[in-house]
Amino acid sequence: MDRLDREILRLLQNDATLSVSDIAEQIGLSSTPCWRRIQNLEKLGIIKKRVALLDAEKLNLGMTVFVQVKAAQHDINWLGRFAEYAAGIEEIVEFYRMSGEYDYMLKVVVADMKAFDVFYKRLVGGIELSDVTSSFAMEQIKYTTALAI
Amino acid sequence: MDRLDREILRLLQNDATLSVSDIAEQIGLSSTPCWRRIQNLEKLGIIKKRVALLDAEKLNLGMTVFVQVKAAQHDINWLGRFAEYAAGIEEIVEFYRMSGEYDYMLKVVVADMKAFDVFYKRLVGGIELSDVTSSFAMEQIKYTTALAI
DNA sequence: GTTGAAACGTATCTACC
DNA sequence: GGTAGATACGTTTCAAC
């Protein structure tokens, strides 16, 4: 993981459609060694996947909600069931175990308040939670998948 | 935006390396119309971009923090300056204006607590904030960029 | 207007230095 | 890390339905 690898990652996490020769040119290398570096970064799992990012607004998924929950039981089995349950719910796009007052933070993307209500009922109906609080995003000011490397 | 378009989006937001003919085959279409649909989805901005997703852990960026802040002033200029300021800080990967007690929610990705402290000082030093509270993620249980279409 | 097929140019990947 | 070449792919054009 030298400087050139980092430059490759920086380019690819902003635009995965760049051709190997484009990248090679930008970092000052010929195609093949550049291609080999990219292959290696993929083999190491540093590049996890390449995905298309969609416009949530245009797909009528303009509502983002942060849902904080407290565990009903503080045992590992409960977490396992919750994790498995959440993995299957497409509206939950991010899910973290947290320190502090609330045990879990979910980021949920839905169409509108009505859709959120459907999701909410499904969430609380599917697993026992002791406390749930929802914070609604009114505006997305920044969203990036690019890490500071 | 019919069923086939949605299927294309569903495939591409999970794997943007799929070739047009792969996608065409999976949705039961020939290459050319499939290619045209993809072009159109890009032209409409529904497909915003294609990016590489990196492994944060492997890049030593294992710490995710949700930072909630209250505005120092509730005027549009202050928000504009804050938005511009945050856009330039790579550690801030998501940024929302919120309803509720706190006005803004930031998602911050850093290496460790020391790096977070550096970020924190930069944040509070760069712009006037009236209240800041940080919640630390101990474990990422789910993360996806794929929307529920 | 929508599809399939064929042709061209370019990117990817292998073999070798 | 670099060079040359085979292969596969995306892209465009054209003809058929």
Side-chain angles (χ1 to χ4, degrees):
Chain A
M1 275 291 301
D2 58 6
R3 200 196 89 250
L4 290 175
D5 281 338
R6 276 174 221 283
E7 286 192 35
I8 290 170
L9 294 176
R10 216 169 281 131
L11 290 169
L12 281 178
Q13 72 175 342
N14 280 308
D15 185 0
T17 67
L18 288 171
S19 70
V20 173
S21 46
D22 279 342
I23 297 169
E25 198 181 346
Q26 288 194 50
I27 66 173
L29 217 64
S30 66
S31 297
T32 307
C34 182
W35 177 79
R36 274 199 288 253
R37 279 171 181 270
I38 294 169
Q39 293 296 309
N40 190 241
L41 290 166
E42 269 165 2
K43 207 185 72 207
L44 292 172
I46 292 173
I47 297 174
K48 280 200 292 194
K49 60 196 305 203
R50 293 151 186 261
V51 301
L53 262 28
L54 310 183
D55 190 311
E57 295 279 349
K58 288 180 178 150
L59 290 163
N60 187 32
L61 289 168
M63 181 173 243
T64 299
V65 188
F66 290 92
V67 179
Q68 291 176 284
V69 322
K70 289 185 184 171
Q73 298 136 32
H74 286 90
D75 64 83
I76 189 79
N77 290 331
W78 185 87
L79 169 55
R81 271 182 294 135
F82 189 22
E84 196 181 341
Y85 184 66
I89 299 183
E90 280 189 310
E91 286 85 356
I92 300 175
V93 293
E94 299 185 38
F95 181 10
Y96 299 87
R97 188 162 58 84
M98 304 293 294
S99 72
E101 196 184 353
Y102 284 89
D103 300 307
Y104 300 97
M105 166 83 85
L106 313 183
K107 189 182 134 193
V108 177
V109 175
V110 288
D112 50 29
M113 191 56 88
K114 188 157 160 271
F116 181 71
D117 191 44
V118 171
F119 161 80
Y120 185 87
K121 284 175 184 155
R122 185 174 171 200
L123 178 70
V124 298
I127 193 152
E128 334 91 88
L129 307 171
S130 88
D131 190 0
V132 185
T133 178
S134 303
S135 306
F136 295 87
M138 302 172 69
E139 183 188 2
Q140 185 178 76
I141 299 167
K142 180 176 184 179
Y143 175 83
T144 181
T145 55
L147 303 173
I149 46 175
Chain B
M1 273 292 301
D2 58 6
R3 200 196 89 251
L4 290 176
D5 281 337
R6 274 172 222 284
E7 286 192 35
I8 290 170
L9 294 175
R10 216 169 280 133
L11 290 168
L12 282 178
Q13 71 176 344
N14 281 307
D15 185 1
T17 67
L18 288 170
S19 72
V20 174
S21 46
D22 278 341
I23 296 170
E25 199 182 345
Q26 287 193 53
I27 67 173
L29 216 64
S30 65
S31 296
T32 307
C34 183
W35 178 81
R36 270 200 289 253
R37 280 170 181 270
I38 295 168
Q39 293 295 312
N40 191 241
L41 290 166
E42 269 164 2
K43 207 184 71 205
L44 292 173
I46 292 173
I47 297 174
K48 279 200 293 193
K49 60 197 305 204
R50 292 151 187 262
V51 301
L53 261 28
L54 310 183
D55 189 312
E57 295 279 350
K58 288 181 177 149
L59 290 163
N60 188 31
L61 289 168
M63 181 171 240
T64 299
V65 188
F66 290 91
V67 179
Q68 290 175 286
V69 323
K70 288 185 185 171
Q73 297 137 31
H74 286 90
D75 64 84
I76 191 78
N77 291 331
W78 185 88
L79 169 56
R81 272 182 292 134
F82 189 22
E84 195 181 343
Y85 185 65
I89 300 183
E90 281 189 308
E91 286 85 357
I92 300 174
V93 294
E94 299 185 37
F95 181 11
Y96 301 87
R97 188 162 58 83
M98 304 293 294
S99 72
E101 196 183 353
Y102 285 90
D103 300 307
Y104 300 97
M105 165 85 83
L106 312 183
K107 189 181 133 195
V108 176
V109 174
V110 288
D112 50 30
M113 192 55 89
K114 189 159 159 270
F116 180 71
D117 191 44
V118 171
F119 161 80
Y120 185 86
K121 283 174 184 156
R122 186 175 171 199
L123 178 70
V124 299
I127 193 151
E128 336 89 89
L129 308 170
S130 88
D131 190 359
V132 185
T133 178
S134 303
S135 307
F136 295 87
M138 303 173 70
E139 184 188 1
Q140 185 177 78
I141 299 167
K142 180 175 183 178
Y143 175 83
T144 181
T145 55
L147 303 174
I149 47 175

